[in-house]
């Protein structure tokens, strides 16, 4: 039998030790490194498993060498901030290999693999785990299998950003052209002023020439004005359109991302990608980038002109430039630190605000207004302090650069004055010089910022692109089998799953469900009932084994076909802010009002809906919060009825409701369930009486399967659960 | 929390609220025996009653009260009992508890910060800890660093590894400056 292997590179010393212990005829199946030397310290250690033995090696001498036959079992134990692979032996102290959290997924697989190996099966390890280091520069990646911020080339990001301009190419090019022209036009007036002073305002000045020059100045001012208006207009036109396109791309990608992506991220941080990151990119595209372009053009133009006019004087002009540049780059880091702190504190303040206003009822109920005020003050003062510090640094920087800039003016006045006295320079030239000097320093002062604006905007763009590029659910896989009409046969074959590779939630699930059958899922909370359902909807894929629908592996089915024929009624029914009718028709947007009515009647929702002032046109509010829990639930059931799913999932659909409402909902559900394959989870076991079969889960496995009566007769786990519930309700009844 | 400086009116709030706890059943701490038998199996025995192997020793409040409120869990993660303070058990048991806690909580204490590079909102740390040298990556430091006190800081890296700075002001000047750069 050839077995699959999972081998990492090891130093030659370790490889030598492996050969020395295992000899050449043994096949090395697992060879991995851990990042903890023992339980206490970081370091390197290696776990090697051949088809005969298990070795734990490090550079020290006390290596472990155990024949596989000695191993009782292997498990990975989650610790805080790391974990421990524990190899229990038939006899003697267990072998423990510690690892940090960075390696938890790997060792979870390894533990599972060794477990299979000692049972004589193929360890069946995945050949590739998510990369933790960048393949190019080997720096640690911020997210596993994610992008390396160091290796993203800014040029590529820029190119990609610019690609959002392509639909508006003509206007974008016009924009660039106009920007260059207006920037260059800015340079002309001082030059004309020079001519006015030197050629017109002399003893034998020519009034006609003055008309010409003033006319020219006026003409330029008009052109510049028109140019700027058109430029700004084009800029906003193109910029906002490109940004809207980018945001649309981002939103669409977010919709198609798998749930797994959302598990690992905070909703807030994703929303901030939409808000802050796109704001930054927008700001850059609309304000900063054009500013940079026109200022860069001006700087180059001014320098060229100055050198052309008088190169010696230009060198004096440039004297204060190095200190300004050095100063701004030095202060930049400091300022950025302040700004970062400022935004962090601002975020904390607004979180607090959000919380205490959102929870105002609780605040008042516990009479905590004063304390909330004190907490707010603390955060508010922290924000104030950092704002003051930031502003102070900024002011110092501003003053210092201005001081240096006036130095330039001193130089030019002095050396220019000397040159005029010597007759080498005319007054007009000197005046023009001084004008250009100020025009040059202004953009220079900002140049440090431009770079950082760019970096920040690009980082924002990268974060947006990261979401856009994240692998979405395979909605458009052309190889997928279309299944327009699901019959409703569901078959789990040895399915196993864990949200984290280290923690298996479900294992060895074998269950065949006939079309139209109703299955009740029973078990303690956290046993994996909801997880089992997540496998049917394919919110997650099994890690081992498979789920088949109508005899086809769920992973090869067209996802859209699958999901559009599954209906879900959950404990917390989520309604969107819209009318009741819109919410009922959510799964079937082309439904006629007749259909909506019928669905609502079937769901026992019609009565309460017509009791509302606006009836079916009532707006339900954010997340439906203008309706009661039972009302929301019935609308969710109507939604599911109209959606007409072949497979129906009821996740605690009747819990937390009063008896009367529950009865109504129970009725509605009975109508909904008819003729559909149904999986129902309920805590109150009595509500599952109508189920054809009950499946009892225990410790991630199927423990019992059968009808209510069969399971009661068996007196197993289900029997006990029922007993406990009856006992509790009896106690509650006597207490009342 | 320093809210106890508002005197007078809050006095009644500071009084201990009488709460009766009936569950879990009380375990007599004096009857608690913690030992290894054989050497690699940690056992918890309640003298004259029952015995557990495969126990877990956890801290109820690992950050605010690391050495108090130590809880013993059975193999199903259900609490067997809790001790409020280490003083309630004898020295050999205390040593065992410390050893188990040390094994379970892999938080590394940062002693020196060699460098922190900050790029695009992600910071790359190179530090010396009580467990040795280590490099790690923190995304969005402001979100993943938690102040546990005025100068105490807990940093969680991208993989969920934990690093603690017990007292920022006790670090050398360069380390402090580096940390302050990113926070």
């Amino acid at each position: 039998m050839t077995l699959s292997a999972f081998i990492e590179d090891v130093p030659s010393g370790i490889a030598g030790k492996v050969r020395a212990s295992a000899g050449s005829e043994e096949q090395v199946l697992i060879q991995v490194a851990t990042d903890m030397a023992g339980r206490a310290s970081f370091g390197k250690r290696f776990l090697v498993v051949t088809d005969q033995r298990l070795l734990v090696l490090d550079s020290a001498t006390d290596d472990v060498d155990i024949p596989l036959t000695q191993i009782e079992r292997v498990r990975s134990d989650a610790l805080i901030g790391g974990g421990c692979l524990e190899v229990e032996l038939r006899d003697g102290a267990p072998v423990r290999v510690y690892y940090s959290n960075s390696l938890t997924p790997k060792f979870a697989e390894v533990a599972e693999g060794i477990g299979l190996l000692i049972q004589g099966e193929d360890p069946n390890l995945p050949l590739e785990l998510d990369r933790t280091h960048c393949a190019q520069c080997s720096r640690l990646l911020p997210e596993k299998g994610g992008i390396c911020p160091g290796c993203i080339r800014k040029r590529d990001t820029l190119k990609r950003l610019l690609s959002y301009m392509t639909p508006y190419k003509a206007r974008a090019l016009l924009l660039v052209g106009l920007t260059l022209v207006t920037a260059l036009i800015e340079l002309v007036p001082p030059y004309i002023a020079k001519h006015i002073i030197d050629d017109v305002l002399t003893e034998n000045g020519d009034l006609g020439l003055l008309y010409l020059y003033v006319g020219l100045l006026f003409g330029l001012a008009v052109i510049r004005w028109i140019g700027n208006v058109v430029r700004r207009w084009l800029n906003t036109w193109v910029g906002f359109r490109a940004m809207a396109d980018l945001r649309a791309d981002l939103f669409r990608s977010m919709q198609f991302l798998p749930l797994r992506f959302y598990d690992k991220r905070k909703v807030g941080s994703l929303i901030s990608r939409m808000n802050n990151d796109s704001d930054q990119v927008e700001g850059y595209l609309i304000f900063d980038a054009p500013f940079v372009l026109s200022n860069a053009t001006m700087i180059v133009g001014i320098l060229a002109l100055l050198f052309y006019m008088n190169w010696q004087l230009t060198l004096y002009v440039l004297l204060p430039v190095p200190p300004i540049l050095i100063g701004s780059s030095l202060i930049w880091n400091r300022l950025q630190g302040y700004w970062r702190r400022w935004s962090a504190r601002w975020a904390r303040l607004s979180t607090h605000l959000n919380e205490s206003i959102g929870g105002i009822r609780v605040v008042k109920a516990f009479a905590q207004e004063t304390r909330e005020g004190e907490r707010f003050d603390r955060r508010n003062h922290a924000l104030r302090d950092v704002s003051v510090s930031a502003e102070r640094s900024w002011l110092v920087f501003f003053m210092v650069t201005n001081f240096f800039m006036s130095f330039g003016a001193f130089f030019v006045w002095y050396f220019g004055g000397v040159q005029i006295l010597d007759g080498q320079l005319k007054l007009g030239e000197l005046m023009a010089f001084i004008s250009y000097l100020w025009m040059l320093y202004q953009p220079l002062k900002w140049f440090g910022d431009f770079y950082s604006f760019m970096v920040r905007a690009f980082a924002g763009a990268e974060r947006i692109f990261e979401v856009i590029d994240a692998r979405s659910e395979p909605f458009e896989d052309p190889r997928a089998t279309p299944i327009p009409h699901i019959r409703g046969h569901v078959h789990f074959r040895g399915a196993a799953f864990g949200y984290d590779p280290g923690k298996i939630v479900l294992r060895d699930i074998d269950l065949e469900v006939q079309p139209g059958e109703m299955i009740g899922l029973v078990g303690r909370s956290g046993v994996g009932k909801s997880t089992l359902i997540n496998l049917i909807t394919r919110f997650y894929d099994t890690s081992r084994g498979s789920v088949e629908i109508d005899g086809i592996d769920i992973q090869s089915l067209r996802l859209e076909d699958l999901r559009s024929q599954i209906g879900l009624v959950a404990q917390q029914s989520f309604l969107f802010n819209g009318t009741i009718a819109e919410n009922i028709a959510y799964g079937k947007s082309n439904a006629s009002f007749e259909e909506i009515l019928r669905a609502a009647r079937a769901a026992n929702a019609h009565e309460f809906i017509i009791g509302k002032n606006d009836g079916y046109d009532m707006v339900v509010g954010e997340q439906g919060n203008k309706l009661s829990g039972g009302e929301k639930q019935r609308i969710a059931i109507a939604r599911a009825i109209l959606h007409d799913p072949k497979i129906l999932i009821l996740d605690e659909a009747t819990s937390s409701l009063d008896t009367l409402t529950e009865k109504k909902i129970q009725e509605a559900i009975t109508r909904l369930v008819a003729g559909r394959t149904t999986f129902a989870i309920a805590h109150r076991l009595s509500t599952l009486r109508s189920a054809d079969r009950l499946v009892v889960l225990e410790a991630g496995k199927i423990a019992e399967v059968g009808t209510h009566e069969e399971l009661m007769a068996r007196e197993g786990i289900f029997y006990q659960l029922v007993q406990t519930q009856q006992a509790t309700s009896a106690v509650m009844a006597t207490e009342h | 929390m320093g809210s106890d400086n508002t005197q007078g009116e809050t006095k009644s709030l500071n009084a201990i609220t009488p709460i009766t706890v009936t569950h879990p059943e009380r375990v007599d701490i004096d009857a608690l025996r913690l030992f290894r038998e054989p050497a690699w199996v940690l056992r918890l025995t309640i003298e004259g009653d029952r015995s557990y192997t495969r126990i877990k020793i956890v801290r109820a409040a690992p950050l605010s009260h690391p050495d108090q409120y130590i809880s013993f869990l059975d193999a199903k993660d259900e609490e067997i009992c809790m001790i409020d303070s280490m003083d309630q058990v004898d020295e050999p048991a205390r040593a065992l508890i410390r050893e188990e806690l040390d094994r379970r909580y892999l938080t590394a204490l940062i002693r020196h910060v060699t460098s922190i590079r900050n790029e695009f909102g992600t910071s790359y740390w190179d530090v010396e800890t009580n467990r040795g040298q280590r490099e790690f990556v923190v995304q969005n430091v402001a979100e993943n660093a938690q102040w546990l006190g005025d100068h105490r800081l807990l940093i969680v890296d991208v993989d969920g590894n934990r690093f603690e700075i017990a007292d920022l002001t006790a670090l050398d000047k360069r380390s402090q400056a580096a940390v302050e750069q990113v926070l």
Side-chain angles (χ1 to χ4, degrees):
Chain A
M1 181 170 70
T2 52
L3 299 169
S4 57
F6 183 72
I7 312 274
E8 287 177 355
D9 287 337
V10 293
S12 55
I14 299 296
K17 280 187 176 187
V18 173
R19 271 192 302 277
S21 326
S24 56
E25 69 279 7
E26 286 179 34
Q27 191 194 352
V28 178
L29 295 171
I30 297 171
Q31 178 169 298
V32 290
T34 168
D35 53 357
M36 301 275 292
R39 74 178 160 84
S41 57
F42 299 129
K44 282 264 174 231
R45 235 174 147 200
F46 302 88
L47 174 72
V48 180
V49 182
T50 71
D51 49 5
Q52 303 284 322
R53 68 189 75 239
L54 179 142
L55 305 166
V56 180
L57 309 163
D58 50 33
S59 35
T61 43
D62 52 341
D63 295 332
V64 176
D65 184 345
I66 294 163
L68 289 188
T69 49
Q70 269 296 306
I71 298 175
E72 177 75 36
R73 62 182 186 142
V74 181
R75 58 196 196 101
S76 57
D77 195 6
L79 305 175
I80 285 110
C84 169
L85 182 112
E86 201 170 84
V87 183
E88 281 176 40
L89 305 182
R90 293 193 197 290
D91 186 24
V95 179
R96 290 187 175 134
V97 177
Y98 289 84
Y99 45 87
S100 82
N101 251 351
S102 314
L103 303 181
T104 302
K106 178 170 85 178
F107 276 92
E109 292 286 352
V110 167
E112 195 87 355
I114 301 175
L116 289 169
L117 194 64
I118 53 177
Q119 289 166 27
E121 290 174 42
D122 190 316
N124 195 19
L125 287 173
L127 294 177
E128 208 176 318
L129 286 160
D130 283 340
R131 271 206 316 276
T132 52
H133 285 74
C134 171
Q136 283 168 33
C137 65
S138 76
R139 83 177 74 194
L140 284 160
L141 290 175
E143 275 170 49
K144 277 199 198 68
I147 49 161
C148 172
C151 288
I152 283 206
R153 273 160 301 176
K154 291 197 191 61
R155 205 187 301 152
D156 290 349
T157 312
L158 182 63
K159 239 194 232 161
R160 222 170 139 183
L161 265 182
L162 287 179
S163 75
Y164 279 86
M165 302 275 188
T166 21
Y168 320 108
K169 206 190 254 161
R171 291 187 210 226
L173 286 177
L174 187 62
L175 174 64
V176 172
L178 263 180
T179 309
L180 294 182
V181 171
T182 44
L184 290 177
I185 287 178
E186 300 271 350
L187 302 183
V188 185
Y191 204 77
I192 294 178
K194 172 198 139 179
H195 280 288
I196 294 178
I197 294 172
D198 287 346
D199 302 345
V200 181
L201 306 177
T202 50
E203 278 132 38
N204 44 3
D206 180 354
L207 197 61
L209 215 53
L210 185 63
Y211 284 140
L212 176 70
Y213 283 136
V214 172
L216 214 58
L217 273 179
F218 179 71
L220 280 175
V222 171
I223 294 175
R224 204 172 57 179
W225 181 77
I226 293 174
N228 273 328
V229 168
V230 176
R231 183 170 67 91
R232 291 268 171 91
W233 180 78
L234 272 178
N235 191 1
T236 30
W237 195 91
V238 174
F240 282 117
R241 269 180 178 68
M243 268 322 290
D245 294 349
L246 181 62
R247 261 198 302 262
D249 270 5
L250 177 60
F251 182 74
R252 208 135 294 145
S253 321
M254 281 179 167
Q255 295 290 308
F256 284 104
L257 284 172
L259 276 183
R260 220 175 239 291
F261 184 89
Y262 289 95
D263 290 346
K264 288 184 188 147
R265 290 166 178 81
K266 294 180 191 149
V267 174
S269 89
L270 280 172
I271 289 179
S272 99
R273 289 195 196 197
M274 201 61 152
N275 291 342
N276 301 344
D277 291 343
S278 75
D279 261 7
Q280 264 166 15
V281 178
E282 188 170 271
Y284 183 74
L285 280 186
I286 288 162
F287 302 106
D288 303 337
F291 209 52
V292 172
L293 186 63
S294 73
N295 278 308
T297 322
M298 264 170 72
I299 289 177
V300 173
I302 291 171
L303 280 179
L305 255 173
L306 289 182
F307 271 106
Y308 166 76
M309 279 164 61
N310 187 328
W311 66 268
Q312 293 109 327
L313 215 48
T314 309
L315 291 182
Y316 290 121
V317 170
L318 291 180
L319 267 180
V321 170
I324 291 178
L325 286 182
I326 292 169
S328 56
S329 68
L330 277 184
I331 199 113
W332 179 248
N333 277 333
R334 182 111 161 252
L335 276 172
Q336 222 184 9
Y338 280 127
W339 282 330
R340 221 183 350 251
R341 234 172 293 172
W342 180 83
S343 62
R345 290 190 186 173
W346 183 241
R348 227 178 291 167
L349 188 77
S350 70
T351 312
H352 179 232
L353 186 69
N354 204 344
E355 225 173 52
S356 55
I357 301 293
I360 190 75
R361 280 159 197 281
V362 182
V363 174
K364 286 191 173 300
F366 284 87
Q368 293 295 308
E369 292 94 337
T370 324
R371 203 168 64 96
E372 285 297 317
E374 283 161 11
R375 276 176 65 202
F376 186 84
D377 282 350
R378 263 205 302 281
R379 297 200 167 146
N380 196 15
H381 290 167
L383 178 65
R384 175 197 67 193
D385 293 344
V386 76
S387 312
V388 169
S389 310
E391 205 53 31
R392 201 167 42 211
S393 298
W394 177 240
L395 206 70
V396 167
F397 168 66
F398 201 75
M399 290 315 204
V400 169
T401 45
N402 265 349
F403 183 65
F404 275 113
M405 271 156 50
S406 53
F407 255 55
F410 299 152
F411 286 136
V412 173
W413 276 113
Y414 176 72
F415 291 104
V418 170
Q419 284 191 346
I420 288 180
L421 292 181
D422 285 353
Q424 293 169 324
L425 189 73
K426 291 184 185 160
L427 179 63
E429 258 177 301
L430 184 64
M431 296 313 290
F433 238 90
I434 289 178
S435 307
Y436 284 133
L437 178 90
W438 290 111
M439 281 167 73
L440 179 68
Y441 289 158
Q442 283 304 332
L444 266 186
K445 193 171 61 182
W446 293 103
F447 234 70
D449 310 5
F450 289 147
Y451 181 69
S452 67
F453 280 151
M454 188 179 86
V455 170
R456 241 193 298 178
F458 279 20
E462 274 155 20
R463 277 195 293 270
I464 291 175
F465 289 143
E466 191 200 328
V467 177
I468 291 180
D469 293 344
R471 210 186 315 152
S472 60
E473 289 182 293
F475 258 98
E476 278 157 20
D477 187 356
R479 288 161 303 170
T481 321
I483 180 159
H485 300 292
I486 290 179
R487 285 188 303 117
H489 183 266
V490 180
H491 196 171
F492 287 86
R493 285 178 189 269
F497 176 76
Y499 293 95
D500 284 319
K503 291 172 191 157
I504 296 290
V505 181
L506 289 175
R507 60 176 81 226
D508 306 331
I509 301 293
D510 281 294
L511 180 67
E512 193 175 354
V513 181
Q514 297 306 324
E517 197 178 7
M518 178 172 177
I519 298 290
L521 292 171
V522 182
R524 292 196 184 82
S525 55
V527 80
K529 296 177 304 246
S530 299
T531 308
L532 189 78
I533 273 162
N534 284 339
L535 297 180
I536 304 172
T537 51
R538 213 186 154 200
F539 286 154
Y540 299 93
D541 283 333
T542 50
S543 33
R544 283 166 208 276
S546 64
V547 181
E548 289 174 4
I549 286 187
D550 292 354
I552 309 168
D553 188 335
I554 202 170
Q555 291 193 31
S556 61
L557 285 177
R558 260 194 77 192
L559 198 55
E560 200 179 341
D561 290 349
L562 174 71
R563 297 253 175 94
S564 63
Q565 294 179 72
I566 293 182
L568 178 74
V569 180
Q571 183 177 15
Q572 298 289 331
S573 12
F574 190 95
L575 302 184
F576 290 93
N577 190 7
T579 66
I580 290 179
E582 279 166 4
N583 268 294
I584 293 178
Y586 187 75
K588 190 182 180 188
S589 47
N590 57 351
S592 69
F593 193 71
E594 286 288 301
E595 286 179 288
I596 293 174
L597 272 177
R598 233 173 293 146
R601 272 186 217 279
N604 277 352
H606 181 70
E607 288 160 52
F608 88 78
I609 296 174
I610 51 171
K612 303 279 176 200
N613 283 346
D614 294 326
Y616 282 85
D617 295 327
M618 177 191 175
V619 176
V620 299
E622 219 173 290
Q623 298 186 20
N625 58 15
K626 288 186 190 160
L627 300 175
S628 76
E631 290 171 341
K632 278 197 275 189
Q633 200 68 318
R634 276 176 278 175
I635 289 182
I637 293 171
R639 180 166 67 185
I641 290 176
L642 185 58
H643 184 48
D644 189 22
K646 296 295 176 303
I647 298 173
L648 178 68
I649 286 156
L650 304 172
D651 192 349
E652 295 281 359
T654 58
S655 65
S656 66
L657 295 171
D658 61 275
T659 347
L660 188 69
T661 323
E662 198 196 322
K663 194 166 154 272
K664 290 205 164 138
I665 288 177
Q666 202 65 55
E667 262 174 43
I669 283 179
T670 317
R671 283 177 212 142
L672 176 59
V673 163
R676 306 174 211 274
T677 308
T678 305
F679 292 85
I681 300 177
H683 256 117
R684 220 170 312 159
L685 300 171
S686 51
T687 58
L688 291 178
R689 272 189 177 279
S690 51
D692 298 310
R693 271 193 296 166
L694 296 173
V695 173
V696 183
L697 292 179
E698 171 91 353
K701 288 183 182 174
I702 293 180
E704 295 174 1
V705 182
T707 64
H708 196 275
E709 287 68 31
E710 282 170 16
L711 292 183
M712 288 304 282
R714 190 195 265 196
E715 301 198 359
I717 300 169
F718 182 74
Y719 177 79
Q720 279 171 16
L721 283 171
V722 173
Q723 294 293 318
T724 343
Q725 279 200 356
Q726 280 171 353
T728 354
S729 40
V731 169
M732 304 247 289
T734 48
E735 273 177 1
H736 276 291
Chain B
M1 284 299 224
S3 59
D4 40 345
N5 47 7
T6 47
Q7 322 97 345
E9 60 188 274
T10 55
K11 201 178 167 195
S12 59
L13 293 180
N14 291 337
I16 293 171
T17 319
I19 301 172
T20 342
V21 182
T22 53
H23 179 87
E25 59 193 292
R26 248 197 143 54
V27 169
D28 183 11
I29 302 296
D30 292 331
L32 219 64
R33 298 284 173 272
L34 199 63
F35 55 98
R36 291 185 187 282
E37 175 65 48
W40 56 86
V41 177
L42 187 61
R43 279 173 202 273
L44 178 80
T45 300
I46 297 163
E47 200 84 25
D49 189 3
R50 52 194 193 271
S51 185
Y52 298 88
T53 60
R54 282 223 106 87
I55 61 157
K56 229 186 233 182
I57 304 182
V58 302
R59 294 177 164 128
L63 305 176
S64 56
H65 299 100
D67 295 326
Q68 283 166 283
Y69 308 109
I70 309 292
S71 180
F72 302 90
L73 308 182
D74 66 12
K76 285 182 173 172
D77 277 359
E78 276 168 25
E79 186 172 67
I80 303 164
C81 65
M82 179 191 271
I83 54 170
D84 298 349
S85 141
M86 291 276 226
D87 301 336
Q88 288 174 284
V89 293
D90 58 4
E91 182 47 41
R94 239 175 302 183
L96 282 175
I97 291 172
R98 279 209 199 90
E99 200 184 310
E100 267 304 295
L101 290 178
D102 195 37
R103 190 180 90 84
R104 176 158 301 280
Y105 293 85
L106 295 173
T107 305
L109 287 171
I110 294 179
R111 298 235 167 100
H112 170 73
V113 178
T114 314
S115 75
I116 304 176
R117 262 182 316 121
N118 201 359
E119 290 175 333
F120 318 113
T122 304
S123 52
Y124 299 81
W125 298 56
D126 183 350
V127 296
E128 291 296 333
T129 73
N130 61 333
R131 296 179 190 274
Q133 185 269 341
R134 181 87 174 175
E135 287 172 44
F136 63 93
V137 184
V138 184
Q139 201 164 29
N140 199 348
V141 184
E143 253 181 48
N144 290 306
Q146 188 187 349
W147 287 101
L148 303 173
D150 285 345
H151 305 294
R152 191 167 159 226
L153 191 63
L154 179 74
I155 302 152
V156 182
D157 80 353
V158 285
D159 295 312
N161 296 316
R162 291 144 164 262
F163 297 88
E164 187 182 324
I165 297 176
D167 182 359
L168 186 57
T169 54
L171 291 185
D172 54 296
K173 284 274 171 278
R174 271 194 54 198
S175 303
Q176 281 186 48
V179 173
E180 266 157 21
Q181 266 300 313
V182 292
L183 277 175

